[in-house]
Amino acid sequence: MKQMKKGFCLILFVLAYLCFVFPEKAFAGTWVVDSVSNQAGSRNYKIWVPSGYNSNNPTPLVMMLHGCTQTPDDFAAGTQMNAVAESNNFLVVYPEQPSNANQSKCWNWFEPASQVRGSGEPSLLVAIVQKVKGSYNVDNTKVYAAGLSAGAAMAVVLGATYPDVFSAIAVCSGLEYKAATSLNSAFSVQSQGGPNPTQQGTAAYQAMGNFARKIRVIVFHGSSDFTVNTTNGHQVISQWAQTNDLADDASDNNNITDTPSNTVNGTVSNGYSYTTSLYNAPNGTVLMEKWLVQSLGHAWSGGSTAGSFTDPKGPKASNEIWRFFSQQQNTPPPPPPPPSNDTTAPVLTISPAGGNFDAAVTVTLSLNESGTIYYTTDGSDPTNTSNPSRKSITNNGRITLQSNTTLVAYGVDLANNASAVQAYNYLITPAPMATTIVSTGAQDGYVATLSPTATTGGYAVSLDIYVGDNADMPLRGVVSFDTSSIPDNATILSAELKVFYTQGSLGNPWISNGSLVADISNGCLGGNCSLTASDFEAAVSASNAVLFPAPTSNAAGTSLVGAVNSTAFSQINKTGTTQFKLRFQNNSNGNRSSDYLLLAGGEYFLTQYRPVLVVKYK
């Protein structure tokens, strides 16, 4: 009895060992469980092996990416893809997203580290494919990815970052490539749609790098999907139209567009109606399909209620996805990268390499061999794959810097050799702008009091500008400018007020009244731009804002130029009128003499003598 027990235990041990080491020997038509690990972490997965699997024959492989809160078992039960695999003899692999990677078990399609090749969750999913290939005879030209919701968005990422692995993808209630790059923006784009699909299509093509090729895409989306708005389904097709157009011949020439070649309407018996749009490749074969299902919510169309997020009233997505996959009309995968014995680091060239610039500067980044350039423009580390500021360029490209920037970049070749990290500072100081504003003539003139001691009464004349004393009354000039042409965000560097003699002066006000100055008003004196006698004593925004040096000539046409004090720059009104009140500092008229200037207003018949305000800004 003891010997029988010992022999029986040994048999169990051997069987267990064989099952563990040789998963391809597992019972056909049943689950096989395994896991992978790399620098991005580890993931468990399940494989469905159809009963018709034969290790002597290359077999297609479909990767199924579940949605948030789901599991491989739940997703398999809802999609019924295993039944389709059993009937059509292909392998199905279901990766599992654990809650410690995402609290809701969502694939992290929105994280920058999981939107590039060789990093994050895409690298783990490809590692699963490679491990499955090590255990089963997988047809390398027939590996596909399909997903729901977050899984669909991740399928899009896989198509863009690993076109040499996946030749077609199915996107059910998904989003375009890099629709979001953070969790917060992910919530926003789900309800409103992502960025411009043409822009994202170009980004996906760049992510393909040297492996670029056309990817066949089938999209399912419900018209009543209030979790991932239907807009996103349309954007997925538009994005892939742009990506495939570029991948077709490396040219953005609209050989492939998001305009359907054909549209077919249908209705499920006792179920929903739908519209199928077909998009052809240049050779006339179907490259993309979009199924818009009326009344379908956020669910797998035609799925079983045995799983979550399904609706059996829609067309059977699993059957249509396999039909689309199996009608593969694609080119073979691109050649593999150079052999790993390449240990020479690439050379990254950045031109110009930093410096001072007076306008936006375009910087060229290029590698001396095929590869990817990673960079940041905020001085942060581009070698950190989880850095949200990290961006990439394939082989070479250009970026335009509009403001002061610290550019940090390095390159990685196809053999994963990295160049040295380079950092450069770009100091961009735009050249100053200058504007010359002619005064508003109807608002120019002079105001006066009736007596040296009067603070009310007097008169105003809208004509030329007089400043000083005229017999028994002081005179003050008013000159008005529409300064709204100065940009609101401009920083004023300098300003000068220029006026001109018309007939020189009466007497010598410079001796009797002291210096000629101008007060400034941000807006109109007294709130009214029309001249009134009350402007004589009206409050100003800043006194003595301009000081005019005494001229050396008293002839007509002589200019008086005064610089606006920098402390008064803030009183120049960028949204409307700025007025100046010209006066002599001591024009009390105590000497009862006629000492005043005669200056041209904005309506003077010689236009070259009209007052001007010259403002420089950046």
Side-chain angles (χ1 to χ4, degrees):
M1 178 69 72
K2 289 182 180 180
Q3 289 179 342
M4 288 178 63
K5 287 183 177 180
K6 184 182 295 184
F8 182 70
C9 290
L10 179 60
I11 291 171
L12 287 179
F13 174 79
V14 171
L15 288 174
Y17 173 78
L18 289 174
C19 289
F20 177 78
V21 177
F22 306 107
E24 72 273 18
K25 299 296 184 181
F27 293 109
T30 57
W31 287 112
V32 176
V33 183
D34 209 337
S35 65
V36 297
S37 298
N38 66 11
Q39 73 280 359
S42 63
R43 292 294 184 275
N44 296 328
Y45 61 92
K46 282 189 170 185
I47 307 171
W48 178 261
V49 184
S51 59
Y53 171 74
N54 185 332
S55 61
N56 294 320
N57 300 325
T59 306
L61 172 66
V62 176
M63 173 173 280
M64 294 287 287
L65 299 168
H66 64 72
C68 299
T69 73
Q70 293 182 312
T71 65
D73 298 271
D74 177 30
F75 197 42
T79 62
Q80 296 288 287
M81 189 61 83
N82 291 354
V84 180
E86 187 67 18
S87 299
N88 295 278
N89 199 39
F90 60 88
L91 297 160
V92 191
V93 61
Y94 297 83
E96 180 181 12
Q97 178 74 321
S99 58
N100 60 6
N102 183 290
Q103 187 175 5
S104 298
K105 300 181 182 179
C106 307
W107 296 99
N108 294 304
W109 57 271
F110 49 82
E111 291 184 348
S114 289
Q115 295 174 331
V116 295
R117 185 184 182 95
S119 173
E121 290 172 4
S123 71
L124 280 165
L125 295 172
V126 170
I128 290 174
V129 171
Q130 300 304 330
K131 192 166 183 180
V132 171
K133 288 181 178 181
S135 300
Y136 298 90
N137 189 351
V138 173
D139 187 337
N140 288 329
T141 67
K142 297 180 179 179
V143 178
Y144 315 107
L148 171 67
S149 192
M154 184 55 74
V156 169
V157 173
L158 292 177
T161 56
Y162 289 95
D164 51 323
V165 176
F166 301 94
S167 61
I169 60 173
V171 184
C172 301
S173 297
L175 303 96
E176 65 183 351
Y177 178 66
K178 281 190 176 181
T181 54
S182 68
L183 180 59
N184 286 339
S185 61
F187 287 121
S188 175
V189 300
Q190 284 175 200
S191 61
Q192 302 174 14
N196 184 296
T198 300
Q199 168 188 301
Q200 302 312 110
T202 301
Y205 171 69
Q206 292 173 340
M208 288 179 165
N210 290 342
F211 300 100
R213 65 161 169 169
K214 298 190 296 294
I215 297 294
R216 302 184 73 240
V217 180
I218 183 170
V219 171
F220 275 83
H221 220 111
S223 67
S224 298
D225 190 337
F226 303 117
T227 301
V228 178
N229 189 284
T230 311
T231 298
N232 292 284
H234 301 314
Q235 288 185 332
V236 171
I237 284 292
S238 297
Q239 176 250 291
W240 278 107
Q242 173 71 2
T243 303
N244 284 328
D245 184 42
L246 290 167
D248 177 50
D249 55 7
S251 178
D252 187 357
N253 53 14
N254 290 323
N255 278 346
I256 298 171
T257 71
D258 58 0
T259 300
S261 307
N262 191 22
T263 301
V264 179
N265 295 316
T267 302
V268 176
S269 178
N270 298 318
Y272 300 142
S273 60
Y274 57 88
T275 299
T276 305
S277 300
L278 308 179
Y279 305 82
N280 288 350
N283 64 1
T285 59
V286 176
L287 183 63
M288 301 184 297
E289 291 185 11
K290 178 175 68 181
W291 291 62
L292 181 61
V293 184
Q294 297 300 319
S295 302
L296 178 69
H298 192 65
W300 188 271
S301 179
S304 167
T305 56
S308 60
F309 297 104
T310 64
D311 191 333
K313 292 184 179 180
K316 292 186 178 297
S318 295
N319 297 71
E320 297 299 337
I321 287 170
W322 174 248
R323 172 200 51 82
F324 180 80
F325 285 168
S326 63
Q327 292 174 349
Q328 180 170 339
Q329 300 156 339
N330 211 351
T331 56
S340 58
N341 58 6
D342 175 10
T343 59
T344 302
V347 177
L348 172 63
T349 301
I350 300 176
S351 179
N356 297 316
F357 305 89
D358 61 7
V361 58
T362 298
V363 181
T364 300
L365 300 91
S366 58
L367 286 177
N368 66 331
E369 58 179 302
S370 296
T372 302
I373 300 167
Y374 298 95
Y375 70 94
T376 63
T377 53
D378 59 2
S380 59
D381 181 10
T383 66
N384 179 3
T385 58
S386 62
N387 183 353
S389 298
R390 180 168 110 148
K391 302 173 184 174
S392 64
I393 296 173
T394 301
N395 297 335
N396 57 74
R398 296 180 177 181
I399 57 175
T400 299
L401 307 178
Q402 303 282 355
S403 57
N404 294 345
T405 301
T406 298
L407 174 67
V408 186
Y410 80 112
V412 180
D413 65 17
L414 298 181
N416 210 34
N417 299 306
S419 73
V421 176
Q422 300 182 42
Y424 297 102
N425 291 318
Y426 297 82
L427 182 61
I428 300 173
T429 306
M433 303 290 289
T435 182
T436 299
I437 306 169
V438 179
S439 72
T440 306
Q443 298 170 4
D444 294 346
Y446 65 94
V447 291
T449 60
L450 295 178
S451 68
T453 59
T455 57
T456 60
Y459 61 88
V461 178
S462 177
L463 192 64
D464 291 338
I465 302 166
Y466 297 175
V467 187
D469 292 323
N470 181 20
D472 62 350
M473 66 187 70
L475 307 172
R476 294 180 179 178
V478 175
V479 60
S480 180
F481 299 92
D482 179 359
T483 47
S484 61
S485 60
I486 302 171
D488 291 346
N489 61 349
T491 299
I492 296 176
L493 304 175
S494 67
E496 63 179 23
L497 178 59
K498 184 182 294 186
V499 292
F500 296 85
Y501 280 165
T502 57
Q503 300 177 21
S505 63
L506 295 180
N508 194 336
W510 299 92
I511 294 176
S512 60
N513 293 312
S515 299
L516 176 64
V517 298
D519 306 328
I520 190 171
S521 176
N522 185 333
C524 299
L525 293 164
N528 188 342
C529 291
S530 299
L531 287 175
T532 62
S534 61
D535 289 344
F536 188 92
E537 291 294 345
V540 295
S541 302
S543 298
N544 300 315
V546 184
L547 174 65
F548 294 90
T552 57
S553 171
N554 197 35
T558 298
S559 64
L560 303 178
V561 182
V564 178
N565 192 304
S566 60
T567 60
F569 289 169
S570 61
Q571 303 307 324
I572 296 177
N573 185 6
K574 300 173 186 175
T575 60
T577 298
T578 302
Q579 287 191 324
F580 292 88
K581 186 190 297 185
L582 283 71
R583 61 182 173 83
F584 280 96
Q585 288 180 322
N586 301 317
N587 63 322
S588 62
N589 203 36
N591 57 13
R592 303 283 179 170
S593 62
S594 293
D595 299 303
Y596 61 91
L597 307 179
L598 292 85
L599 305 174
E603 294 180 326
Y604 194 66
F605 72 98
L606 294 175
T607 58
Q608 68 268 32
Y609 291 159
R610 293 173 181 173
V612 294
L613 179 66
V614 181
V615 180
K616 291 184 179 180
Y617 60 87
K618 65 176 182 179

